[in-house]
Each structure stands twice: as structure tokens, then as C-alpha cells.
Amino acid sequence: MARVYWPYFDPEYETLNHRINPPRVSIDNDTCNDCTLVKVDSVNKPGILLEVVQVLTDVDLAISKAYISSDGGWFMDVFHVTDKQGNKLTDRKTIEYIEKALGPKGNTLVREGKTWPGNRVGLHSNGDYTAIELIGTDRTGLLSEISAVLADLHCNVVAAEVWTHNMRLACVVYINDYATCRALDDPIRLSAIEEQLKNVLRGQGDVNRGGHTSFSVGFTHTDRRLHQMMFADRDYEGGVIDGDVAVSFKPIITVDHCEEKGYSVVNVRCKDRTKLLFDIVCTLTDMQYVVFHASIGSDGPYAIQEYYIRHMDGCTLDTEVEKARVVKCLEAAIRRRVSEDVTLEFCGRDRVGLLSELTRLLRENGLSVTRAGVTTLGDQAVNVFYVKDASGNPVDMKTIEALRQEIGQTMMLDVKKVSPNTTTPESSGWAKKNLSIGSLFERFLP
């Protein structure tokens, strides 16, 4: 029998170019007076733009301008960023994290799970956790029902993020066993939890789309996953309910063709906000489009963004149907995080069933939750709810005062209203004592 010889391929060959030309990251605080420049040069690879934008948004940086180019096999980005207070980036810990995450050791950091705490929605509890992904038809009180089921099944909600859009709800909830503070791995118990959650989602759900529940153990980037879930659920289909989003937030999106270079050009103009660039890049990535060039800027309170894209197969958007789908999907990505509702921030000592109690109070006071974020920091819990009146009327401040009375001295309550003409919520102060959420985070962060 004749021997067959196969050519040898070095398994390290695919990363050879990356090792010869490692990514270079520069943090420049000298060029501009009012912002920091973050410059990234690297060999181009699929998904690199999303990785870079994700790292910058994870450390709560606001991106006011950006110039992106990834044509010709090389990736070059310049981002104009400021911190949450609008100042230059000077925190050494944050700078070092960016340099490591985007530099030559970036892939190593990801494999080892050394991610910025914000990635985990503030998870700082002891022990492991199980992530539950839920998606279904939204209705008033649904979050309250979900949290009540978890409390009855002796599950502690360590963190959670909840989005609603076009009458659909998506959430990622991190739980562990309240007695052991460990991840749930008993298949019988997980099956019982899944069945009860499915019953809740079926309650008054759409028989055609219904609800879905899944479990995972370990780390997931929550915002990234929520975009994927809502995109897969086709929340971009159907019109927005009247009054669901204010007219001031309506984005203007166009798709044109650049014949000279063979690109499709996507132009976005909408009200500026944090994480806007991340949300748009997420959606283009999920739709299998590659951004070759982009320019990001602002005009007063509005963001102006231009993307030169092609599909992964090299094709441009040639049909009106495809263009219309891109417009609808980007509009949905922008709206998912938009809210002109009242924001309620509850802060106090964490305990089993706390989320269930708070969401029950909101439901009993006629408030509907449009978005929510649950964070556990040591033994402290921070629960943020974007709420609106369930009947569609403006939230009555008497309702808020009733909430203050009901929570008493057990928690602090801060109330904020997002004005249509501003990007920063207006605060009415803490119910007990004015305590900065940021300082609370720093107290428990390693």
C-alpha cells in the first residue's frame, strides 16, 4: 500500500501576522484640550471594531468623535473619549485595562475572564452563578411575576438587565442558590425553574411567538447578548406603539451607494446618548456586515454617524428590501435603550427576594417597567428601574411619594426624570441620604 504524505501546516500560522504585528494602543491626553484620544492600530480581523468599541463602553467612556478605517488588511481607529463626568481619561487603572484589553494580550485577558467589572453587570458576589435568558411578550407586571417565581424557588438574583421594545421583553438574569451562593447545576431543579418561567411567559403571550428560556453557566457580555436576543426575536418588525418613544428620539437613517469604492453608505442622525456607537456596531455585526470606514461626530445634542459597509460576502445593499431591513434593524437597536420615562434607583442591603418585593411595589402602584438593571456589590444592592404609568399617563409624583413611604428606612430611593432636551437625567434627590452610586461602586470594587 502506497504511503500518502500530507503537507504540514503549522497551527500557529494563522496568528503569525498578529504576532509579528501586534496591536498598538495609544492613550493621548496632550493633543486635545477637552478629551482623550484613544488610537488603535492592528492587523485587521473579523469583529475587531466591535471588540474595540465594546472595551471603551464597558469602562463607561463617552465617545464624542471617531474615525475608523479597516481597508487593506489593516485596522486604524481614533476615538475622542471622556469619562462619565465629561473630563479627560486620567484614571490609571482604567488606562491600563484599555491598553491590556486592546493590546497584544487582549485575547489572553478574554480567555482568562479578566474583564472589566461592568461587563458582568456589577457581579461581585461570592461563588458562581447561573445566567438565565428570557424573551417573551411584554406586559405590565411581567418582571414582577418572573422575580416572584425565582424567589419562591429559593434563587437569589445577583444581577439582571432587562430591556423592552415593540411589546417584547428580553432579560438576562444571574442567579445562585440562596443557601450556598453557588451556581445551580441540578438538572431537576433547573428543569422546574424553566417550566415555571415558561408558564409565566405564556401567561398572555403571543401564541405565534410566545416565550423562550435558556440557561448558561459562566460569563456573558450582557448588553451584547441582549442585542442578539432581540435581533433574533425580530423585535424590529411591526410599528412602534404610539407614545412608546418620544418624537425627539426618532432616528433618521438612510442607505446610499458609493459607486467609486463599491460600498453601501449608512447615515444615522439621532439624539446622542451613551453607548449609541456600541448599539449600532452590534447590529451591523449581527447582520453580517463589515464596517470598512466610518466617521462619528455630533451636532449639538444629535449624533451624526456615517458607515461604509459591505456584507461579509463582499456584496453591497443592492435591493430596496435589504436597505429597508437595515434601516428597521438599526432603528430598533437605537430605540432599545431609549427612555424618557422616570428612573427610580433603589439602594440598600441585599437580601433574597428583594427584586420580587420592589417589582411588586411598582406593579401595585400602577407603574410599568420599560428597562431595569440590577446590581449586587458586596452586601449592597442597587436596583434601577425605568418606569412609566401603566395607563399611559405621565407618572404622578404622588405615586413616587407613596413608594417612598412604603420602602421606609430600609432603602434609599433616587428619582430622575429624563428631559426631552437633555441627555442627563434630572435627579430629585435620595429619600434618606444623598449617596453617590459611583462612590458606592468604588467601595466594593477590587
Side-chain angles (χ1 to χ4, degrees), residues 134-188:
L134 301 165
I135 194 156
T137 302
D138 188 31
R139 64 178 185 274
T140 301
L142 178 57
L143 181 58
S144 175
E145 295 176 37
I146 291 171
S147 54
V149 165
L150 294 175
D152 289 343
L153 294 172
H154 308 292
C155 298
N156 183 38
V157 177
V158 182
E161 192 77 11
V162 182
W163 290 1
T164 65
H165 178 245
N166 268 359
M167 297 303 296
R168 302 297 290 174
L169 174 141
C171 62
V172 179
V173 185
Y174 299 87
I175 64 170
N176 57 27
D177 181 82
Y178 82 98
T180 64
C181 292
R182 307 300 299 179
L184 304 178
D185 54 8
D186 181 0
I188 297 177

Side-chain angles (χ1 to χ4, degrees), residues 23-27 38-61 63 66-70 75-81 97-99 101-103 110 119 221 277-278 281 285:
R24 296 190 298 270
V25 182
S26 169
I27 310 295
V38 178
K39 304 174 184 178
V40 182
D41 295 335
S42 171
V43 172
N44 195 19
K45 64 177 182 178
I48 188 171
L49 175 59
L50 179 55
E51 290 179 16
V52 173
V53 174
Q54 183 171 293
V55 167
L56 297 179
T57 54
D58 281 344
V59 294
D60 293 325
L61 297 182
I63 302 172
Y67 304 97
I68 296 160
S69 178
S70 62
F75 178 83
M76 294 181 291
D77 278 9
V78 178
F79 297 92
H80 296 234
V81 304
Y97 173 79
I98 293 173
E99 291 174 338
L102 299 180
V110 173
N119 288 358
H221 190 281
L277 177 59
F278 172 81
V281 172
T285 302

Side-chain angles (χ1 to χ4, degrees), residues 361 398-410 413 431:
L361 285 175
K398 292 181 179 178
T399 302
I400 304 301
E401 290 306 315
L403 278 174
R404 292 187 192 275
Q405 295 298 323
E406 289 193 64
I407 64 172
Q409 300 295 309
T410 59
L413 169 62

Side-chain angles (χ1 to χ4, degrees), residues 173-309:
V173 185
Y174 299 87
I175 64 170
N176 57 27
D177 181 82
Y178 82 98
T180 64
C181 292
R182 307 300 299 179
L184 304 178
D185 54 8
D186 181 0
I188 297 177
R189 187 176 180 186
L190 289 174
S191 178
I193 294 172
E194 181 178 19
E195 187 60 32
Q196 292 207 34
L197 290 175
K198 283 183 177 179
N199 289 336
V200 170
L201 294 175
R202 283 192 208 108
Q204 300 170 6
D206 187 330
V207 294
N208 296 319
R209 297 171 74 179
H212 176 70
T213 305
S214 62
F215 295 91
S216 63
V217 178
F219 166 75
T220 181
H221 190 281
T222 310
D223 287 3
R224 179 81 182 93
R225 188 68 191 119
L226 286 169
H227 275 300
Q228 291 175 330
M229 291 166 62
M230 297 207 96
F231 176 74
D233 189 56
R234 306 187 310 279
D235 71 313
Y236 52 85
E237 294 181 348
V240 179
I241 305 301
D242 291 339
D244 183 45
V245 179
V247 176
S248 62
F249 280 108
K250 184 173 178 58
I252 300 173
I253 305 170
T254 60
V255 181
D256 302 309
H257 184 65
C258 178
E259 294 184 4
E260 295 180 2
K261 299 294 185 181
Y263 297 118
S264 291
V265 185
V266 178
N267 286 283
V268 180
R269 178 181 170 87
C270 64
K271 189 172 180 181
D272 201 7
R273 61 169 174 78
T274 58
K275 299 190 177 182
L276 177 63
L277 177 59
F278 172 81
D279 295 339
I280 291 176
V281 172
C282 266
T283 300
L284 291 174
T285 302
D286 289 340
M287 298 185 74
Q288 304 295 304
Y289 291 108
V290 178
V291 177
F292 289 88
H293 301 279
S295 176
I296 313 299
S298 59
D299 179 13
Y302 292 95
I304 301 174
Q305 304 188 359
E306 185 176 59
Y307 300 87
Y308 290 77
I309 68 171

